[in-house]
Every structure is written in structure tokens, then in C-alpha cells.
Amino acid sequence: MADAAAPAGGSGTRGGFRGGFGGRGRGRGRGRGRGRGRGRGKEDEKSKQWVPVTKLGRLVKDGMIKSLEEIYLFSLPIKEFGIIDDLIGSSLKDEVLKIMPVQKQTRAGQRTRFKAFVAVGDSNGHVGLGVKCSKEVATAIRGAITLAKLSIIPIRRGYWGNKIGKPHTVPCKVHGKCGSVHVRLIPAPRGTGIVSAPVPKKLLSMAGLEDCYTSARGQTATLGNFAKATFNAISKTYSYLTPDLWRDQPLTKAPYQEYTDHLEKNHTSGGVQKQEVKKY
Amino acid sequence: MTEFVLIGVPDSEMKQNHASWSTNKIGGFPDWMSIVTKQPSCSRCSKAQRFVLQVYCPLENSKYHRTLYVFCCTQKQCWSDSSGWNVYRDQMLEKVEADQPIVKESTEGESWGLGDDDWGDGGSPSPTNGDFPVVEQTCEPKQTQDEKPLESIVTSLSTQLTYNPRYIDVFNESDLISPLDGDKHIKDLISKYETSASQSKGDELFAGCSVATETYEENEQKVKNRAFHKFHKKISLLPHQCIRYNYGGYPLLLSDCDVTMSIPPCSSCGKSLTFEFQLLPGLLPTLYIDGEDPVEFGTILVYTCSHNCWGNRDSPQTGGHVVYCPDPDLKFFKSQKFNEKIKNSGV
């Protein structure tokens, strides 16, 4: 059978088939009529499908949650990258920012591992950054892609001047810091393009920003800190309260105020001796 | 005892709701060894429970055939708590001469039947024995021991809804290799990076400019949810897995809550319970009945008596304990606005 030489696409080789539970040497040959002969091709297809582990994953797979924004609205933690793949996977592009060898001194010489920085984004308001270190380059890149998908964040875009057309730049001046690197993003007029070093340029273009001025300070040669500082800066766009978000909301009473009558009636603090106030 | 871990995966659907007590299956009706007259009922609401799965798992150095049956209540308040789940153990002394054509005890633990196992019926052979005929039987194979379906139970249970019956495939966890998918895509990324790096710098590819300043970075998600990260890593070896069998070992938990503290002793003999197997989220797609809210869990742990107490019984033992572990992020789903939104989108 071609099972031992199964293509790399099949997950979890079926070579370890055992047949039954129980102690070693027992419980074999008891699961009957398994029909492994049929649908061998079906098995490989099925194995590529994503099986959700968390409740959020199940909801996404069943189609109850249709967009990533609904997950962000309720601050639900995303723990499986299958969720992202399902929702926006088709428009997601990934790019390797840098692969660098990282060395550690051991008694037997130097141990080299590879660190991969990967940015993913759909050029329409979602971007993620992943960092992974591993002994092989391919493993590092694969792990970094997974981590980047898990760290996807929404970005708010705005206008530099007239509010004509679609938003094209950051809504206001934002800054982010990581390590010693401090990155500042400034709104730019339409048609400017992204004015920055190559690393943040890739991140910003994947985020969907068309125009932006940047200013960086610190040891920007440490690529990890530089990329993370930019990432922090663009994730702050949604936490900045701009005047157009000043919406008049009806004032509601605080619970203690609302139920003050009820509290007074039922929960008076008894047993407190009131000091007699002397009246002169 | 803890060296080997077995993984169960849902397999093809069964054509009839009944099989034998030695079949590992999900759904359908339970195949008891002894005569069972009382339908298991929930300890919270006293309604009849629904059969989830049965696992044939004889212990090493034991002369008994042993099967575990898991039941769960149909009400949401019950199945979302440990008290709505029940596990029963049924045992029968092995009759050696009757087993001869079916089981030959093999002394080497790692060889999986190089021709010495006659599995009666079966699909295509495993890769090590290529000379097995591909036979598919649709009728019940001949049983030398008494395994006829129990007529009286069938009629009483036939009015209930059950899950669609399926077989379970079993694998050794140590034989699973992690999947290597998307290799082509990664090769493309590497080549793209190579070309862009050589264009910009013109020197060798992986030139680390400041090697000393970059250090190993801990994955932030891993640090925050270490238990979930480990769980997910093990499950992703074979994502469809539904049972993880590890008699006497430790369960794979979804979050860092300490489960082992609350396990009561065996209700029949008073000795402690030991972990036997756990149900995984891969089981949930198979536990589906039209028109009902599907069962949900993070993982379900099944503990059974460490001394396997039995005595001279003729009805299934109830001494096991089931622990229900919910999804670790369940508190986020409790907000009313969210649930309304889900209901609207579902409709």
C-alpha cells in the first residue's frame, strides 16, 4: 500500500493503525467493519479540513459568525488560526520580512537557529506580525505565519484633509515603542505614498494604508523591535478617541443612584449610634 | 503504564444501530455484555440519558473482557456539567477456547499484526501486511460468545433519538507524524525573500547583521495560555481525533485549572479512581441530531476504578467518574448581545 509513502499532504500517517483500545497486545481486531478500503482519497481531503477545537472555532465553521469584526466587537480571544483562514484567508497575503540566524554558545560549539519575521495582511484594514525561531528555515516560517495570523488586528484609517473618497491614511498622529525603537506615524495627503524605511513600509502597505509619513528613532537595526514598534503604532489607531467619535449618549444612572429608594427602604445601616448634635 | 497513548478517530458510519460489545463505536445503541433492564438516567433531572460511545478496552494481565459506555443527558443544564454525564463498565470473563480464531495475544507490543491477527472482516490492510484481502462485510460477523442483541432493550430504546452510529479507528500516538502541508507556499516565500535580499544587499542570504542582539523570543500566546497551546499542538497531529486513551496517565487539559483535586473515590470499593481516556472536540461533529442544540464541551475526562473492582456481578458497574471541562473562553459567550447576534445570524 502506498501508505508508508503517503504524500506530504496527508496529515497524520495512518501507518500506526492499531485497531482497538486496551493494554498492549490486547483489544486488537475488535473494531469491526471499519471500511478503510473505501474512500482512501476522501481521507486525505478530509484530513486537510480544519476541525475546530474551541467554541469560537465551531461557531465560525458553522457560519454563525460572518466577519472578523464581530469577533473584535466582543473581544473574543482567537486561539486558532483556522478561524482567520476561514473568515479572511482568501484575501490574506504573507511576506517574510527577514530571516536571521541566531546563535547560542554551547560547550560543543555554537548552536544556530533561524528566526523568521512574517507579516500577513489583506491590504484592507487587517494586519498581523509573527516571529518564530526554529532549527530549520521552513519550520520557522511556517510557525511565524501561524503566529502572525493569530495576532491579526484591525486598523482604523482616516483622512488627511477633505473627507472625499475612501480613507487612505492614519486618522491622527500615533506612535508605538518597542525596546529602544520609537516609531511615529503621521497623516499624509493623498498620493504621497508611504514614506518610511523598508520594514515598516511593508507592514503599512499590507495594512491598507496608502499614504503615511513616518519618523523613527532608536536602534532600528534590530528588526524585531522596529517591526513591533510599527505594529504597536498602527494598532493604536482604534484606541485613539477622535472628535468624530464623540457621540451623545443618553446618560444612565449609576446603579446605586437608581436603586437608592430601594436601598434606603430595605438596607438601612442599623445599629449605628448617632452622636447627639449639641445645639447652642 | 503511561508509555503508550492511543488515539481514536471517527470512522465510517455503521449501517445498523447495534454491534457487539467488543466494537468501539459512537452513537447508536449500547451493546451490553450482561442483561440490562434499566435505562441509565441523569442524576440531576432523572430523565433517560442518551448513549454517546462505547470503548472496548481490556486491561493488561486481566482475564476479563471489558467495555466502557459513556452516556450524557439531553438537557443543556445537565450536559454542561459533570453530573449529567455517566460512565458504565461492563465485564465478562474471557473464555479462552472461544477466542481462538479472533484474538492471538502477541507478545511484542509494537508489531501490529504481521499476519497473525485475523480480524474477521475488515477494510484495506495496514501497510505492514499487504496480503490481507479487502473484504467488506455488511452483516454481523459470527460470534462465538453470546452477543446477540437484547430484544427487550431494543424496543424500549427505539423510541429515543440516538446519534448516528459510527466506528472508531484507533492509532498509536507515537506513530503520528506532524503534517507537512503548504510546503510549496513556504518554498515560494523563501525564494521571494532570497531574490529581494540579494537585490538589496548583494551578499549572502542569511546575513545576520547584528546576531548578538537578537534573542530567542517566547511566543506571547503560548505564555498566556500554556495549557491550551500544548493541547492544540498535540491535537493538530491528527485534528479529527475524538478519543485519547491513556490508562493510568494524565489527561490533556484545555486550561490551567486543577482537575485532579476533585475526583471522588470509587463508589463501590472506595479505592481511588485513575484516568482512563478523554473525549476531544473532534467528537462533536458526530454528535449531531437534527432539531436539537448540539452538545458542547472543551474536553471530557473519564476516570475508572484503579483496582477494576467487579466481584461476581451481572450488571454494569457504575463506579466511574466523568469530569466535564468546558471551553476555556466560555465566559465571553455569556453576554446577551452576543447570543442575540448569533441567533439572528443563524436564522
Side-chain angles (χ1 to χ4, degrees):
Chain A
M1 271 288 187
D3 211 8
S11 82
T13 171
R14 301 289 174 143
F17 184 72
R18 202 174 176 279
F21 295 102
R24 229 173 281 113
R26 302 205 60 191
R28 281 169 28 207
R30 293 303 179 134
R32 301 191 181 269
R34 285 168 305 283
R36 285 174 72 227
R38 3 183 185 110
R40 175 62 76 177
K42 249 200 308 180
E43 262 181 18
D44 281 341
E45 269 173 38
K46 203 174 89 142
S47 63
K48 284 211 176 100
Q49 258 184 27
W50 162 52
V51 179
V53 168
T54 54
K55 177 164 179 178
L56 183 62
R58 285 191 280 277
L59 286 173
V60 167
K61 182 135 193 238
D62 294 338
M64 307 289 247
I65 295 185
K66 297 197 184 59
S67 78
L68 210 45
E69 269 57 47
E70 295 175 32
I71 301 182
Y72 291 138
L73 184 62
F74 295 101
S75 305
L76 305 171
I78 301 178
K79 288 185 174 151
E80 298 181 85
F81 72 91
I83 295 173
I84 305 285
D85 268 339
D86 203 82
L87 291 171
I88 54 174
S90 46
S91 51
L92 220 49
K93 290 201 182 16
D94 43 19
E95 190 167 348
V96 176
L97 296 175
K98 192 167 177 79
I99 302 173
M100 59 184 12
V102 182
Q103 286 175 343
K104 176 178 150 173
Q105 194 72 28
T106 59
R107 249 181 298 161
Q110 284 169 334
R111 185 192 61 181
T112 307
R113 282 197 285 196
F114 292 100
K115 191 164 177 180
F117 296 88
V118 170
V120 311
D122 68 343
S123 304
N124 198 17
H126 300 104
V127 67
L129 176 68
V131 182
K132 179 89 182 140
C133 193
S134 184
K135 277 185 269 199
E136 291 166 35
V137 176
T139 320
I141 293 183
R142 194 179 309 123
I145 293 179
T146 310
L147 290 176
K149 286 184 182 163
L150 285 175
S151 71
I152 283 200
I153 212 140
I155 292 172
R156 184 170 179 215
R157 290 165 288 174
Y159 299 95
W160 173 81
N162 288 335
K163 293 188 173 42
I164 315 172
K166 290 223 169 275
H168 60 103
T169 184
V170 248
C172 53
K173 292 180 189 172
V174 289
H175 72 103
K177 186 172 157 70
C178 179
S180 74
V181 180
H182 177 266
V183 171
R184 188 179 192 213
L185 303 176
I186 299 151
R190 213 180 275 277
T192 319
I194 301 178
V195 179
S196 84
V199 167
K201 187 166 185 168
K202 283 200 191 130
L203 262 176
L204 294 171
S205 64
M206 282 189 153
L209 291 168
E210 293 165 13
D211 314 290
C212 191
Y213 293 124
T214 61
S215 164
R217 195 198 144 85
Q219 174 72 289
T220 56
T222 36
L223 197 124
N225 287 345
F226 200 9
K228 281 198 233 168
T230 322
F231 191 69
N232 284 346
I234 49 182
S235 43
K236 278 193 184 165
T237 52
Y238 258 125
S239 36
Y240 200 104
L241 185 67
T242 55
D244 48 332
L245 292 175
W246 293 351
R247 216 185 323 159
D248 267 342
Q249 299 227 344
L251 290 173
T252 54
K253 288 187 177 173
Y256 290 129
Q257 196 187 2
E258 206 175 333
Y259 299 112
T260 181
D261 301 330
H262 169 86
L263 285 172
E264 208 176 71
K265 240 192 299 177
N266 301 346
H267 298 281
T268 44
S269 50
V272 171
Q273 246 203 354
K274 290 206 169 99
Q275 289 258 348
E276 201 182 81
V277 175
K278 286 200 180 142
K279 288 198 171 77
Y280 293 101
Chain B
M1 247 190 343
T2 60
E3 298 99 23
F4 68 99
V5 178
L6 300 172
I7 306 282
V9 175
D11 199 7
S12 51
E13 291 208 10
M14 281 166 63
K15 296 203 172 54
Q16 66 269 29
N17 277 335
H18 272 285
S20 81
W21 43 254
S22 59
T23 318
N24 300 315
K25 74 171 190 189
I26 304 170
F29 293 125
D31 300 303
W32 302 104
M33 291 179 194
S34 11
I35 312 281
V36 169
T37 46
K38 204 166 72 76
Q39 171 74 339
S41 58
C42 175
S43 48
R44 273 170 71 125
C45 65
S46 314
K47 289 212 183 127
Q49 289 187 321
R50 187 175 289 154
F51 174 64
V52 176
L53 54 72
Q54 71 183 48
V55 163
Y56 174 69
C57 46
L59 297 176
E60 266 179 277
N61 310 321
S62 158
K63 293 193 288 289
Y64 287 98
H65 288 297
R66 181 169 173 269
T67 313
L68 293 174
Y69 307 84
V70 178
F71 289 81
C72 86
C73 189
T74 46
Q75 305 298 316
K76 180 165 180 175
Q77 312 91 282
C78 299
W79 59 243
S80 51
D81 186 61
S82 299
S83 47
W85 292 76
N86 256 325
V87 62
Y88 291 88
R89 174 164 48 97
D90 208 355
Q91 286 183 209
M92 180 156 59
L93 261 183
E94 232 177 298
K95 296 199 187 93
V96 177
E97 66 280 358
D99 283 344
Q100 208 179 12
I102 300 175
V103 162
K104 278 199 193 131
E105 304 263 348
S106 152
T107 46
E108 319 115 78
E110 289 312 306
S111 76
W112 340 290
L114 292 161
D116 64 352
D117 247 6
D118 174 13
W119 291 2
D121 55 324
S124 74
S126 56
T128 50
N129 39 353
D131 50 0
F132 259 49
V134 176
V135 169
E136 284 176 13
Q137 292 191 3
T138 51
C139 58
E140 273 294 299
K142 291 203 194 74
Q143 294 300 321
T144 46
Q145 288 191 282
D146 185 8
E147 296 176 20
K148 287 198 281 287
L150 304 159
E151 301 296 332
S152 55
I153 308 302
V154 170
T155 46
S156 66
L157 293 181
S158 57
T159 49
Q160 267 197 2
L161 291 173
T162 57
Y163 300 118
N164 285 334
R166 278 172 182 274
Y167 292 108
I168 302 180
D169 254 349
V170 183
F171 300 88
N172 275 326
E173 192 183 43
S174 42
D175 296 328
L176 298 176
I177 323 177
S178 49
L180 300 165
D181 46 326
D183 260 352
K184 183 176 174 306
H185 178 62
I186 294 187
K187 287 198 182 103
D188 289 340
L189 282 176
I190 296 181
S191 54
K192 228 197 298 180
Y193 176 75
E194 277 174 26
T195 49
S196 68
S198 58
Q199 275 168 10
S200 58
K201 279 190 191 158
D203 47 23
E204 85 233 32
L205 169 61
F206 300 126
C209 33
S210 45
V211 167
T213 56
E214 290 283 355
T215 53
Y216 182 78
E217 285 181 39
E218 191 70 63
N219 175 3
E220 194 190 290
Q221 286 248 350
K222 179 177 174 187
V223 166
K224 275 194 260 183
N225 315 298
R226 206 169 271 276
F228 181 82
H229 181 85
K230 285 195 181 140
F231 182 88
H232 193 49
K233 208 166 156 182
K234 286 261 156 146
I235 299 291
S236 54
L237 289 175
L238 186 53
H240 289 272
Q241 59 186 278
C242 61
I243 299 182
R244 192 166 189 274
Y245 185 92
N246 186 8
Y247 185 73
Y250 294 103
L252 255 188
L253 293 174
L254 271 178
S255 57
D256 296 318
C257 56
D258 193 7
V259 167
T260 50
M261 302 300 269
S262 56
I263 310 293
C266 174
S267 50
S268 345
C269 67
K271 303 269 169 48
S272 65
L273 296 180
T274 167
F275 173 70
E276 178 133 12
F277 64 87
Q278 68 183 113
L279 304 182
L280 300 169
L283 181 65
L284 291 174
T286 60
L287 298 183
Y288 181 72
I289 287 193
D290 273 331
E292 268 192 25
D293 272 340
V295 177
E296 285 208 5
F297 54 78
T299 182
I300 304 253
L301 314 175
V302 174
Y303 287 78
T304 51
C305 181
S306 49
H307 289 257
N308 210 32
C309 58
W310 186 246
N312 257 337
R313 300 179 62 100
D314 55 358
S315 69
Q317 182 78 280
T318 59
H321 185 71
V322 177
V323 178
Y324 173 90
C325 291
D327 193 85
D329 299 322
L330 208 55
K331 58 180 189 292
F332 291 104
F333 292 95
K334 293 222 165 102
S335 91
Q336 198 183 7
K337 253 169 88 175
F338 180 78
N339 286 325
E340 274 172 22
K341 195 172 183 51
I342 294 297
K343 277 207 195 90
N344 291 340
S345 66
V347 168

